[in-house]
Amino acid sequence: MTGIAASRTPRNDRAARTRLAMTLFCRDPMDIFIGADHRGFTLKAKLVAWLASQGHTVHDVGAEQYREDDDFPQYAAAVARAVAEQREALGVAICGSGGGASIAANKIVGARAVVVQSPELAEYARREDDVNVLALAADFTTFADARAITRAFIATPFDPVERHVRRLEQVAALER
């Protein structure tokens, strides 16, 4: 966070920062790419409707219909490719554990995906690591929790202090 809001919020008060991020949610509608396999299909449908109701432009990259035999890599990779190409966009990739979606998304150069299980972790991942793909575990995340995590993820900007930028440059060098 920057500016007046940051000066009033102690850096070590995660709950206060998360509450502030929640109040800023949806000031600037965003392009959100979202995809899920069969295990994340229901959660994805709920998140798509909720994100659209918040004013975001939602791009559903699949699955378009429930198929028990589909696999997460194609949907996670589609989310990651879109986010890597459209740098101002964010992505949400959902599978049963979140881990598989995260692994697949991270194979795409320019994507930075992580499994997140709380709003505080979502905020940290965005602020410090500039994560652009949120991986959710459909088997372990309620819709209410997914909504809170996604809200924090979208609302929290990257904090481009020198140490964060330096670390991201080191990660980018690993991709070359």
Side-chain angles (χ1 to χ4, degrees):
M1 286 184 283
T2 59
I4 295 169
S7 66
R8 292 185 197 154
T9 305
R11 212 162 160 78
N12 61 351
D13 187 348
R14 289 184 187 164
R17 286 194 322 270
T18 298
R19 282 191 302 278
L20 177 62
M22 303 284 186
T23 64
L24 299 174
F25 182 68
C26 214
R27 269 196 185 165
D28 297 317
M30 299 191 68
D31 281 319
I32 309 292
F33 291 86
I34 188 167
D37 66 359
H38 62 282
R39 286 170 61 193
F41 186 81
T42 301
L43 181 58
K44 177 185 67 113
K46 291 177 182 179
L47 283 174
V48 165
W50 174 72
L51 287 165
S53 78
Q54 300 299 301
H56 298 288
T57 302
V58 182
H59 307 275
D60 186 342
V61 301
E64 294 177 12
Q65 58 187 342
Y66 180 86
R67 280 191 15 246
E68 193 171 326
D69 64 343
D70 68 3
D71 297 313
F72 63 82
Q74 71 186 63
Y75 306 115
V79 167
R81 281 188 193 99
V83 169
E85 289 173 13
Q86 191 173 334
R87 293 180 184 254
E88 296 302 314
L90 293 175
V92 180
I94 310 168
C95 69
S97 70
S102 176
I103 291 167
N106 280 320
K107 299 298 181 186
I108 307 303
V109 173
R112 291 173 303 282
V114 66
V115 181
V116 173
Q117 297 172 323
S118 73
E120 294 81 10
L121 288 173
E123 177 196 349
Y124 187 92
R126 286 283 302 133
R127 185 183 66 246
E128 304 224 354
D129 300 319
D130 199 19
V131 168
N132 55 12
V133 177
L134 170 65
L136 291 173
D139 292 353
F140 303 96
T141 309
T142 66
F143 173 59
D145 288 343
R147 190 174 53 208
I149 291 165
T150 304
R151 179 182 290 123
F153 178 73
I154 293 170
T156 305
F158 173 59
D159 182 7
V161 298
E162 187 273 333
R163 73 180 182 281
H164 298 165
V165 172
R166 181 183 68 240
R167 292 168 187 160
L168 288 175
E169 289 170 352
Q170 292 172 11
V171 171
L174 297 172
E175 294 176 331
R176 290 183 223 127

